[in-house]
Structures are given as structure tokens and as C-alpha cells.
């Protein structure tokens, strides 16, 4: 457990990382470094997108599954590691 | 119209609304009833045992029925007194009546009695249940009324009261209906998830409409007759026109008076359900069917073991990760936890379970790697000789290089293609080295790097040993495995109380890392597992080294004599003057390959006369510093001692040197490689003077090249160029 905390902390302290969030399947944040409203917003939107992405991947090949999702935008990069029970979201600004 | 015999019948009437005050019904029924006691009987079927028949007409039924004012118990008589009341379309089954307690009745007696008064006299089987549909289910096990309409109300009332008690089964279907309503229990979640078997069967064919065909096949038996008849008819039609036999005449028929009849059925409850059918959904469902054969217990057992296993791993790991920052972080986390702790326990347990789950750790691991890649992308790409992704913005970001312009980076990129190793080399064109990144973290601050080793199988993995070079102050040592994909935190951390002096990865089993310590211990770690406990340790071996182990190497040796195949042995050389070979059987077994003796001394004393301290100068053994095995013939190796001599030895002889070469002073590191430019063997030797010497080994080694460097360890990367 301490290992997990430590890794989360290291991730948060990486260069350019704006926020780190872990939300459960219902969209309730378990760990977050951003404020609650932002977290809930991200969680809700990314949850839908992840489901859509996963559906796409599996429609093409049902034995495949989504492991990681990266969204590169002008300002940030949003990285999502989805799972059935949680979402791990990290927002990084790589051009800092 | 015989009055129905004195038998009770089931009254398909209604007692539905318990509370409904049938005043209305009384009022009108009172007026009507008297006339209608005449038997209705013909239509009755249901019979039961007691004496009277009573009917109750809740007013709702009355309204619904929509019959004329004479309603429910209407009986229709034509001019001759013939009973032409329509028959009921539904005949309730008399056997369905069960002896239900008559609570409805008993509670409603008051209200009903009045009704009875009004209505009782007449109704025999009142109410066609057909008219009322499902409403008309209440059944009174009561007696038939054999009285005529002239019976007094009082007697009727008495009778009513009697029968009301005697009523066995008010099996009202209204009862049933009420019951039905209450039995609509709330479905629990398990019920919803239960697999319900729905068996679809074919009902018997109900003929709703039958239109017999008027077409016959030409080949049928009656075909001839039909054809004849058709012909006759045609003839008839043709002849009819002018024929006297047929006269047209108008007629008027009596149209029967139409009658409206309304029927109402139960409200059909509809539910909408939508689902999107996807390929993976189907696939999952098929797989779920297959997997459902596995008992559920297994899954719970698995869950429990899985939950315990990762927690164990976490406990073992991270001995060195308890810094102050960690405690701060954990306190912040605890505050957050307290805030979040307002949810129910279930959710908290669940979120903990999520955090502790193995999948989560793996995801964290990947996430960190991805972040690293983002940060270090240009450097990593340069290392791997892949194109660097340029950011769309003109401002460039993280730079370890000296200049910050894009053009310079491109220039450097080309030059780096030649210089990938950590080692420097001399060449005619002065090369430019760009520092890509450095492996450093909090743990390694202040420690000297004492040894490096690349993993042979996974070229991204680098093992680094940290120790101290001041021999007076020996602090705790560290061996770390770094991955190129994550330059900011090592993948594995192995701590020890002694400084690490040598590391090497095994070739045959690339997950084994041998670590040599300053106190002479040799330990072997399995880097695949997370545990920081060595797989094997030589600290209890009676033949362990007593001086710092300066070099370790895994050698594949032909063990032809013992009949084994090529087996890997670990060879170590230490300052106590022994070159030992370690074999892994059940533990670490040591076998001396060679004892290095001082050549200035002539004596050959060995045996138990070893000093305890490795670097004691009065030892008769020469402290060994380095060795290098012949790349092809692993029997031959060179060993360098602290005196500055290089001895050529063989595994077969552990007493004698084959040859000795002099020329260096003190403290060497050697690496033996087959030269790429010359057919002979080259030996690269560096010493503490800062000299690098390259020897070509023929019979007498001659120094071909040397340059000034100050370094402690020479480790040639996998793609090194040998100067010839």
C-alpha cells in the first residue's frame, strides 16, 4: 500500500503533470489532486469516452481489449488507464 | 324459469372494493330486484354447497359494466316471458374455490348486508363474469335463494347473516386479486440476476376465423362435380336475363336491432427495453455461458488469495522508500481519506481494494513509463535511433544538451549515432558527446557508482552497484536495476549494509543478478520478483571471500568431465587473493579456481594461512583486482592483481600461472574482447593511474595504444568498437 502511495506521489511530481486522479466505476474519486468538481467532470466525460473506445476495440476483435488511452490536445495530454472498476487519469503538459 | 335449486352456487360476483359503499347499488337494485327473481337459472353452472346465493355488487363493477340501468343482474325477458338473457361467456370453475377465510366478507358484512338485502333476492348467478371480466371473481359459497321475490327483507337479512357466516369460500377472486396485489413482492437484486428459465411452448391452435376455401384443385375428386356445377351456374346466369322463369323483385328484410356490447380487458402493461447489440457483447455472452460452469466458490477463493498476495508483496518491498516526503504524502492522503470517508463502508473497502489491486499497480507502472516517455522522448528516441517527435510549438522543452536551438539538436543527434556508450573512445575525429540523461534519484544521492552491468537479454535493463570508495567510511550499499524507460526511478532496489563492489547479470538465466559486496559476500537476486531478499547468499558459506569482491562474472563452462552440459558458473575475484568459482546447487558452493600469490615472494604457502582483511599488505596472497575470460575458450583467463601484474591462468591448474605480464601499477580493471579489426585478442586494461592500455595478445603483449583517463570501471557497451 505504501508502494502504491509512493508511486502515485512520484507520478504527481513528474515534470509537467497537472493532475492525477483515481476514480471508481461510479465516478466517485478515490484519490485526486485536483478539486472535486474538475475531477467529477473529467471522470464522467472520460468514462463515456473510455467505454466508447473499448467498444470500438472489441467490436473489431472481441478478444482484444483496451489497455490504455491517450488523448493529445493542444494544451495537454490526458492519459487514461481504464479498468472495470476504476479509472486512472493523469493530465500532463508535456511542453512545459 | 325454474328457480335454481337449493344449492349453493358460486357467485361470480364481485366484492372487490372493500370499502366501497354500495349505496348506489342498493338504491337502484332495490327497485329492480323484485322483478327479477325469476330464474335465471339456466345459465348457471357453478354450484356449491350451502344454502343461499348472494351477490354483491360493488358499485365499481356496476359502473364498469355499463349495462342498462337494470344492470348486473339484469334478466331479459321477451314478450312471452321467455328468458332470453344473454348467457355468460365465462363460467368459472367450481373446483377452484378454496376455503379461504372470509375476511373480506366478515369485515364488510355491514356494508354487504345492506346490499344483500337489496340484491339478494334475485340474483342467482348474477353477473355474467363475462361482462365483468376478471372483476367478477368473488365467489360466495353460499346458498341459492330459493325464495321468491316475496320474501321479506327480514328473513332475508337473517338468512344473509347466516350464510355470511357459513360462507366457506369467499374465495373471492377479489380475494385473490387482493392477494395478487400484495404478492407483487419487491424483487431483490439476486432475484434479478437469477437466471430464470422461460419455457416457451406452443399453445393449441385457436381458431379465430375460418374461411373455408372455395377453390378446389382441378385434380381433386370433386373436381368434376364442381366443374359441372359451375357450368350449370353459368348457364343459369346466361339464361336468366330474358327468361320468364326468373323475375326480379325487391324485398325488405328485417334488420335486427343492433346492440352494443362493451368489453374491457385488463390494462396491458408495456415496458420498453432497448439494447445495443455489439460483436463483443455476443462474444462475452457466449464466454459467460462457458465460464458459468466453473463453481462460484473458486472465484471467491481466488479473490481472497489475490487480495492477500499483493499485500504481501507490498510489505516486502520498499525498504528504502521511507523518506520524509513519504510521510507527508501519507498524511495528506489520510486527510483526503477522511474527507472521502463519509461514504459508506462498502465503498471505502472497495476503494481500498481498488488501490491495492494488482491491476492498479500495473496501471500505475505503465502510467509512469508513459509519463517518462513524454518527458524524455527526444532522449530516448536518440538512444534508440528513432525519429524525434517535434512538438508543434516553437519553444522546445526539456533539454539536457547545451544548446536549446532545434538545429543543434539535430546536429547532435547525428553525432550521437556514433557515441552511444558510456565509455569514451579515442578516434581521429573529435567526437561530440551529448549527455542524454542520467539515472538518479533520491536514494542514490551521495553514493559512488562502483559497477555497472547490462542485462544480456533485455538491453534496456542496467544494473548499477553503489558503494563507497573511501575505505574508511563504509556506508550502506545499494544495488539498483534501472530501466531506460524510466530514468527517474529504479525498477528494483536492493539494499545491503555493505557497499556493493561488483554486479553482473547472468546470461543463461537473465533474471539472476549477482552482486558482490565489500565484505566479501556474494549474493544472487532474482530480479523478476519484487522481493528484496536475495535468492542465494554466500555469507554462511565457509569458503566465502574475506575481502571485497572486485569482480564478478558469469561464465559458461563446458563441464565435459562431469558429463553436464554447459553450465554457468559465477567467478569472483577478491582482494583476499582468491579467484573462486561458485556453483549453484542447493546453495552456493565455492570452489577455488586460483590463489593469487605474490610473485615477489617466492613462497607458495596456502592453505589456512589467510589474513582476514582483504587489503592487508602482509598477506602472501596478492589481492586480485580483475579478471577476464577468454571469450571462446573459457578455460583460459587473465587475472590482474594489485601489484600490477596480469597473470594468465587456466582453470585446469589452480596453483600455477601460465604466464605473467607486467606493466601496470595497482588497481586494474580488465576486459577481454576479441578485436574487430585485428584477428588477435585484445585486452583492454585500465589502471588507477588513469591509463588505458590495449593489449594484443600474441605471445608477448605489447601496448598498442594508451590514453589518459581517470576511471574506475571499464565496461564496454554491447556495440563497442575495438580499436585495433
Amino acid at each position: 500500500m505504501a508502494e502504491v502511495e509512493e508511486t502515485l506521489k512520484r507520478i504527481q511530481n513528474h515534470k509537467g503533470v497537472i493532475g492525477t486522479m483515481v476514480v471508481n466505476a461510479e465516478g466517485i474519486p478515490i484519490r485526486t489532486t485536483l478539486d472535486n468538481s474538475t475531477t467529477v467532470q473529467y471522470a464522467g466525460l472520460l468514462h463515456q469516452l473510455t467505454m466508447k473506445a473499448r467498444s470500438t476495440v472489441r467490436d473489431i476483435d472481441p478478444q482484444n481489449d483496451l489497455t490504455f488511452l491517450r488523448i493529445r490536445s493542444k494544451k495537454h495530454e490526458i492519459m487514461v488507464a481504464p479498468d472495470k472498476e476504476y479509472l486512472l487519469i493523469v493530465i500532463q503538459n508535456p511542453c512545459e | 324459469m325454474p328457480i335454481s335449486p337449493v344449492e349453493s352456487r358460486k357467485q361470480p360476483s364481485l366484492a372487490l372494493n372493500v370499502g366501497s359503499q354500495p349505496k348506489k347499488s342498493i338504491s337502484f337494485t332495490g327497485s329492480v330486484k323484485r322483478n327479477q327473481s325469476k330464474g335465471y337459472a339456466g345459465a348457471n353452472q357453478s354450484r356449491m354447497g350451502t344454502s343461499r346465493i348472494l351477490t354483491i355488487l360493488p358499485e365499481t363493477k356496476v359502473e364498469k359494466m355499463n349495462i342498462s340501468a337494470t344492470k348486473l343482474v339484469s334478466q331479459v325477458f321477451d314478450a312471452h316471458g321467455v328468458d332470453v338473457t344473454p348467457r355468460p361467456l365465462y363460467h368459472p370453475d367450481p373446483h377452484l374455490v378454496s376455503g379461504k377465510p372470509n375476511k373480506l366478507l366478515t369485515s364488510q358484512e355491514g356494508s354487504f348486508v345492506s346490499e344483500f338485502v337489496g340484491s339478494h333476492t334475485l340474483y342467482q348467478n348474477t353477473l355474467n363474469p363475462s361482462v365483468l371480466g376478471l372483476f367478477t371473481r368473488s365467489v360466495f359459497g353460499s346458498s341459492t335463494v330459493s325464495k321468491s321475490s316475496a320474501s321479506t327483507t327480514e328473513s332475508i337479512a337473517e338468512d344473509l347473516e347466516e350464510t355470511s357466516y357459513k360462507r366457506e369460500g369467499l374465495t373471492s377472486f377479489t380475494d385473490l386479486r387482493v392477494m395478487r396485489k400484495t404478492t407483487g413482492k419487491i424483487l431483490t437484486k439476486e432475484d434479478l440476476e437469477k437466471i430464470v428459465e422461460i419455457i416457451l411452448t406452443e399453445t393449441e391452435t385457436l381458431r379465430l376465423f375460418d374461411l373455408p376455401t372455395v377453390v378446389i384443385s382441378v385434380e381433386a375428386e370433386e373436381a368434376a362435380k364442381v366443374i359441372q356445377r359451375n357450368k350449370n351456374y353459368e348457364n343459369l346466369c346466361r339464361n336468366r336475363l330474358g327468361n320468364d322463369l326468373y323475375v326480379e323483385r325487391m324485398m325488405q328484410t328485417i334488420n335486427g336491432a343492433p346492440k352494443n356490447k362493451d368489453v374491457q380487458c385488463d390494462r396491458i402493461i408495456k415496458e420498453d427495453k432497448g439494447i445495443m447489440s455489439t460483436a463483443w457483447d455476443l462474444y462475452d455472452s457466449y464466454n459467460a455461458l462457458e465460464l458459468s460452469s466453473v463453481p462460484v466458490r473458486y472465484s471467491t477463493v481466488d479473490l481472497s488469495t489475490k487480495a492477500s498476495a499483493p499485500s504481501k508483496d507490498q510489505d516486502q518491498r520498499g525498504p528504502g522508500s521511507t523518506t520524509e516526503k513519504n510521510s507527508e504524502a501519507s498524511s495528506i492522503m489520510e486527510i483526503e481519506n477522511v474527507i472521502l470517508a463519509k461514504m459508506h463502508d462498502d465503498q471505502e473497502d472497495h476503494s481500498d481494494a481498488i488501490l491495492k489491486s494488482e491491476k492498479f499497480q500495473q496501471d500505475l507502472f505503465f502510467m509512469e513509463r508513459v509519463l517518462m516517455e513524454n518527458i524524455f522522448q527526444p532522449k530516448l528516441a536518440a538512444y534508440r535511433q528513432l525519429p524525434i517527435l517535434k512538438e508543434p510549438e516553437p519553444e522546445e522543452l526539456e533539454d539536457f544538451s547545451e544548446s536549446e536551438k532545434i538545429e543543434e539538436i539535430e546536429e547532435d543527434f547525428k553525432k550521437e549515432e556514433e557515441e552511444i556508450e558510456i565509455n569514451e573512445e579515442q578516434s581521429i575525429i573529435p567526437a561530440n558527446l551529448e549527455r542524454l540523461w542520467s539515472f538518479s534519484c533520491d536514494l542514490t544521492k551521495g553514493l559512488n557508482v562502483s559497477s555497472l552491468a547490462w542485462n544480456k537479454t533485455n538491453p534496456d535493463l542496467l544494473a548499477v552497484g553503489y558503494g563507497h570508495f573511501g575505505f574508511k567510511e563504509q556506508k550502506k550499499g545499494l544495488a539498483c536495476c534501472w530501466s531506460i524507460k524510466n530514468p527517474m526511478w529504479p525498477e528494483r532496489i536492493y539494499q545491503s549494509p555493505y557497499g556493493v563492489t561488483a554486479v553482473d547479470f547472468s546470461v543463461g538465466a537473465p533474471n539472476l543478478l549477482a552482486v558482490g559486496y565489500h565484505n566479501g559476500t556474494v549474493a544472487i537476486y532474482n530480479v523478476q520478483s519484487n522481493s528484496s531478499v536475495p535468492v542465494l547468499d554466500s555469507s554462511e558459506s565457509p569458503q566465502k571471500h574475506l575481502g571485497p569482491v572486485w569482480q564478478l562474472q558469469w561464465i559458461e563452462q563446458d563441464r565435459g568431465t562431469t558429463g553436464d552440459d554447459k553450465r554457468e558458473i559465477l567467478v569472483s575475484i577478491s582482494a583476499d587473493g582468491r579467484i573462486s568459482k561458485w556453483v549453484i546447487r542447493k546453495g552456493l558452493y565455492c570452489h577455488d579456481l586460483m590463489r593469487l600469490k605474490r610473485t615477489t615472494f617466492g613462497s607458495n604457502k596456502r592453505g589456512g594461512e589467510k589474513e582476514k582483511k582483504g587489503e592487508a599488505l602482509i598477506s602472501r596472497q596478492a589481492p586480485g583486482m580483475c579478471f577476464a575470460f577468454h571469450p571462446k575458450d573459457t578455460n583460459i583467463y587473465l587475472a590482474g592483481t594489485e601489484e600490477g601484474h596480469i597473470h594468465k591462468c587456466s582453470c585446469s591448474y589452480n596453483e600455477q600461472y601460465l604466464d605473467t605480464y607486467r606493466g601496470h601499477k595497482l588497481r586494474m580493471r580488465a576486459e577481454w574482447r576479441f578485436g574487430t579489426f585485428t584477428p588477435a585478442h585484445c585486452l583492454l586494461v585500465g589502471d588507477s593511474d588513469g591509463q588505458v592500455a590495449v593489449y594484443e595478445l600474441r605471445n608477448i603483449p605489447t601496448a598498442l595504444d594508451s590514453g589518459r583517463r581517470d576511471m574506475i570501471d571499464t565496461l564496454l557497451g554491447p556495440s563497442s568498437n575495438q580499436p585495433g
Side-chain angles (χ1 to χ4, degrees):
Chain A
M1 193 63 193
E3 178 63 30
V4 165
E5 300 287 354
E6 198 207 307
T7 313
L8 271 173
K9 188 164 187 338
R10 267 191 284 124
I11 286 179
Q12 177 57 30
N13 290 337
H14 271 318
K15 202 155 91 133
V17 170
I18 297 170
T20 309
M21 290 175 267
V22 182
V23 285
N24 73 349
E26 284 135 29
I28 298 168
I30 301 174
R31 287 267 184 280
T32 175
T33 58
L34 301 172
D35 57 282
N36 200 40
S37 58
T38 314
T39 304
V40 169
Q41 185 185 25
Y42 266 103
L45 295 168
L46 286 170
H47 185 64
Q48 295 171 33
L49 184 64
T50 311
M51 270 176 39
K52 188 69 183 171
R54 176 178 272 136
S55 175
T56 308
V57 167
R58 296 203 72 207
D59 261 346
I60 294 169
D61 177 10
Q63 289 177 333
N64 207 351
D65 197 7
L66 181 69
T67 50
F68 206 82
L69 185 65
R70 282 168 88 163
I71 305 162
R72 195 69 179 256
S73 74
K74 272 202 281 189
K75 294 190 189 172
H76 318 301
E77 175 160 4
I78 304 173
M79 290 166 276
V80 182
D83 184 75
K84 209 167 49 123
E85 290 154 27
Y86 62 85
L87 275 180
L88 170 63
I89 304 166
V90 174
I91 306 162
Q92 189 193 21
N93 185 359
C95 314
E96 195 181 284
Chain B
M1 258 101 6
I3 293 178
S4 39
V6 184
E7 301 144 37
S8 67
R9 312 176 173 207
K10 222 196 289 188
Q11 291 283 10
S13 80
L14 5 141
L16 176 52
N17 291 347
V18 175
S20 65
Q21 282 308 317
K23 287 189 185 164
K24 236 182 173 184
S25 54
I26 293 175
S27 59
F28 79 77
T29 51
S31 59
V32 176
K33 298 319 174 302
R34 308 270 159 174
N35 304 332
Q36 296 178 356
S37 62
K38 309 305 163 60
Y40 182 146
N44 304 353
Q45 284 83 2
S46 50
R47 306 187 171 217
M48 276 242 315
T50 61
S51 55
R52 296 186 203 254
I53 298 175
L54 291 163
T55 58
I56 291 185
L57 309 174
E59 59 179 3
T60 54
K61 306 285 171 68
V62 171
E63 282 151 16
K64 279 171 191 157
M65 286 183 328
N66 242 356
I67 309 184
S68 52
T70 60
K71 289 256 172 88
L72 315 160
V73 195
S74 56
Q75 291 177 339
V76 179
F77 300 100
D78 66 7
H80 302 291
V82 179
D83 180 15
V84 293
T85 38
R87 297 188 197 182
L89 288 175
Y90 171 79
H91 307 295
D93 191 34
H95 300 301
L96 285 182
V97 179
S98 58
K100 266 197 201 159
N102 222 350
K103 52 181 181 147
L104 260 186
L105 257 282
T106 50
S107 62
Q108 300 163 10
E109 262 174 58
S111 61
F112 286 163
V113 168
S114 50
E115 260 192 323
F116 293 168
V117 174
S119 58
H120 129 89
T121 50
L122 335 158
Y123 312 130
Q124 311 217 342
N125 266 352
T126 49
L127 301 197
N128 311 345
S130 64
V131 171
L132 299 172
L134 282 175
F135 293 96
T136 64
R137 250 2 110 78
S138 61
V139 173
F140 299 88
S142 54
S143 56
T144 56
V145 177
S146 53
K147 302 190 184 196
S148 66
S149 53
S151 50
T152 59
T153 52
E154 283 142 34
S155 58
I156 289 170
E158 280 169 36
D159 289 343
L160 281 172
E161 276 165 28
E162 262 178 70
T163 54
S164 65
Y165 294 117
K166 283 188 197 165
R167 222 154 308 174
E168 307 149 45
L170 206 208
T171 49
S172 358
F173 282 73
T174 58
D175 246 346
L176 278 178
R177 276 195 83 234
V178 170
M179 290 306 295
R180 239 180 261 149
K181 277 190 179 162
T182 55
T183 55
K185 60 177 181 166
I186 300 162
L187 292 172
T188 62
K189 202 171 178 188
E190 293 89 32
D191 285 339
L192 284 173
E193 286 172 17
K194 255 195 295 190
I195 294 175
V196 178
E197 277 191 22
I198 299 175
I199 300 170
L200 303 172
T201 54
E202 224 181 283
T203 59
E204 54 175 71
T205 309
L206 301 165
R207 285 184 192 281
L208 298 172
F209 177 68
D210 195 11
L211 176 67
T213 177
V214 295
V215 177
I216 299 181
S217 154
V218 175
E219 293 158 14
E221 297 143 8
E222 302 99 27
K225 275 195 270 170
V226 172
I227 289 171
Q228 186 57 43
R229 267 203 348 240
N230 287 352
K231 272 199 204 142
N232 289 345
Y233 185 68
E234 271 171 44
N235 288 337
L236 181 71
C237 287
R238 254 186 281 128
N239 295 339
R240 193 171 67 87
L241 272 174
N243 209 334
D244 280 340
L245 287 174
Y246 300 99
V247 176
E248 271 196 25
R249 202 179 125 196
M250 299 295 187
M251 277 278 305
Q252 187 165 32
T253 55
I254 300 174
N255 292 335
K259 180 172 161 182
N260 281 340
K261 193 153 187 157
D262 285 328
V263 168
Q264 186 170 22
C265 68
D266 255 351
R267 179 161 164 259
I268 298 169
I269 300 169
K270 294 181 209 162
E271 240 184 69
D272 276 332
K273 192 160 178 80
I275 193 164
M276 190 165 87
S277 161
T278 51
W280 52 267
D281 205 1
L282 295 168
Y283 178 83
D284 277 348
S285 314
Y286 282 132
N287 277 1
L289 280 177
E290 287 169 16
L291 292 173
S292 64
S293 56
V294 177
V296 180
R297 281 182 220 145
Y298 281 156
S299 64
T300 52
V301 167
D302 281 348
L303 278 175
S304 61
T305 52
K306 249 209 287 185
S308 55
S311 59
K312 276 189 213 148
D313 282 346
Q314 289 151 27
D315 290 349
Q316 282 172 347
R317 238 199 121 177
S321 43
T322 55
T323 60
E324 293 164 13
K325 292 181 196 170
N326 225 13
S327 57
E328 257 181 58
S330 55
S331 65
I332 293 171
M333 294 299 184
E334 274 172 281
I335 294 171
E336 280 184 36
N337 257 345
V338 167
I339 294 168
L340 296 172
K342 287 177 189 168
M343 315 181 209
H344 355 270
D345 292 340
D346 277 348
Q347 252 190 2
E348 250 203 16
D349 287 345
H350 217 232
S351 64
D352 264 355
I354 290 175
L355 287 175
K356 288 181 186 146
S357 71
E358 223 172 276
K359 179 93 183 357
F360 186 69
Q361 289 179 26
Q362 218 185 19
D363 279 343
L364 277 178
F365 179 65
F366 287 141
M367 186 67 80
E368 209 181 345
R369 290 261 176 112
V370 168
L371 285 174
M372 289 302 161
E373 187 198 330
N374 268 343
I375 298 171
F376 290 105
Q377 204 276 335
K379 314 297 170 185
L380 292 175
Y383 180 79
R384 298 194 194 278
Q385 302 182 12
L386 290 171
I388 302 175
L389 295 176
K390 290 277 188 327
E391 294 295 334
E393 279 113 327
E395 305 96 2
E396 274 306 280
L397 29 106
E398 72 274 62
D399 263 358
F400 286 101
S401 65
E402 281 114 349
S403 84
E404 292 173 22
K405 292 177 198 166
I406 305 171
E407 303 87 42
E408 288 236 20
I409 293 177
E410 282 178 330
E411 237 177 89
D412 289 345
F413 171 64
K414 285 179 204 132
K415 289 182 188 153
E416 284 151 30
E417 280 179 292
E418 305 155 25
E419 312 284 333
I420 301 177
E421 307 143 15
I422 304 171
N423 189 12
E424 278 188 359
E425 278 186 349
Q426 283 236 316
S427 55
I428 304 165
I429 307 160
N432 194 10
L433 281 187
E434 178 193 323
R435 182 167 162 268
L436 290 174
W437 69 79
S438 68
F439 287 119
S440 72
C441 70
D442 295 337
L443 291 178
T444 63
K445 278 200 184 125
L447 298 175
N448 302 117
V449 173
S450 62
S451 55
L452 303 161
W454 288 99
N455 190 329
K456 323 286 188 284
T457 316
N458 178 3
D460 284 346
L461 201 58
L462 174 70
V464 180
Y466 298 92
H468 267 269
F469 295 127
F471 290 107
K472 304 293 176 187
E473 340 92 35
Q474 281 295 320
K475 292 185 207 168
K476 286 192 177 181
L478 195 60
C480 291
C481 289
W482 292 89
S483 166
I484 289 187
K485 294 173 187 162
N486 187 349
M488 288 179 63
W489 189 260
E491 304 295 318
R492 299 277 183 270
I493 303 170
Y494 302 117
Q495 296 217 331
S496 72
Y498 305 102
V500 173
T501 50
V503 288
D504 194 30
F505 269 111
S506 159
V507 176
N511 57 320
L512 293 180
L513 174 70
V515 183
Y517 294 102
H518 198 268
N519 71 334
T521 317
V522 173
I524 296 182
Y525 288 93
N526 181 6
V527 298
Q528 272 179 346
S529 75
N530 264 332
S531 87
S532 56
V533 174
V535 171
L536 286 170
D537 205 332
S538 81
S539 29
E540 279 97 39
S541 163
Q543 288 172 321
K544 65 178 182 185
H545 284 296
L546 302 162
V549 177
W550 288 118
Q551 187 164 352
L552 279 177
Q553 197 169 353
W554 291 87
I555 306 290
E556 271 189 6
Q557 269 213 339
D558 254 338
R559 310 298 301 142
T561 50
T562 59
D564 290 339
D565 299 310
K566 272 197 173 181
R567 189 161 32 124
E568 248 197 331
I569 55 167
L570 179 65
V571 178
S572 65
I573 186 167
S574 85
D576 63 356
R578 284 163 45 216
I579 299 179
S580 318
K581 167 182 80 177
W582 301 84
V583 175
I584 300 171
R585 285 193 204 109
K586 285 189 185 166
L588 269 183
Y589 291 104
C590 175
H591 177 74
D592 274 353
L593 283 180
M594 169 64 69
R595 299 220 170 118
L596 302 166
K597 293 164 281 290
R598 293 187 172 270
T599 51
T600 49
F601 282 82
S603 56
N604 274 353
K605 275 205 188 164
R606 69 199 85 92
E609 293 190 273
K610 283 197 294 187
E611 305 287 339
K612 288 296 174 181
K613 284 285 180 340
E615 51 265 6
L617 294 166
I618 52 174
S619 156
R620 290 193 181 91
Q621 312 254 330
M625 296 304 304
C626 59
F627 64 89
F629 271 77
H630 189 297
K632 295 280 161 59
D633 175 14
T634 51
N635 248 345
I636 310 283
Y637 61 93
L638 296 171
T641 65
E642 211 176 34
E643 304 164 318
H645 303 142
I646 298 177
H647 305 285
K648 181 169 160 188
C649 324
S650 163
C651 290
S652 332
Y653 309 103
N654 60 354
E655 307 277 332
Q656 279 275 346
Y657 304 137
L658 296 178
D659 210 345
T660 305
Y661 315 110
R662 286 156 229 270
H664 277 273
K665 309 168 194 173
L666 300 181
R667 298 249 239 144
M668 298 177 304
R669 295 297 214 182
E671 192 77 25
W672 192 342
R673 286 265 187 273
F674 201 70
T676 50
F677 295 120
T678 69
H681 292 255
C682 294
L683 182 68
L684 199 71
V685 181
D687 68 11
S688 56
D689 260 357
Q691 284 191 22
V692 178
V694 181
Y695 292 95
E696 187 189 349
L697 296 162
R698 285 183 231 114
N699 291 327
I700 302 165
T702 54
L704 294 175
D705 196 352
S706 70
R708 286 210 163 258
R709 297 281 172 270
D710 189 6
M711 60 181 179
I712 307 300
D713 190 2
T714 305
L715 185 76
L716 299 177
S719 58
S720 63
N721 287 329
Q722 292 282 345

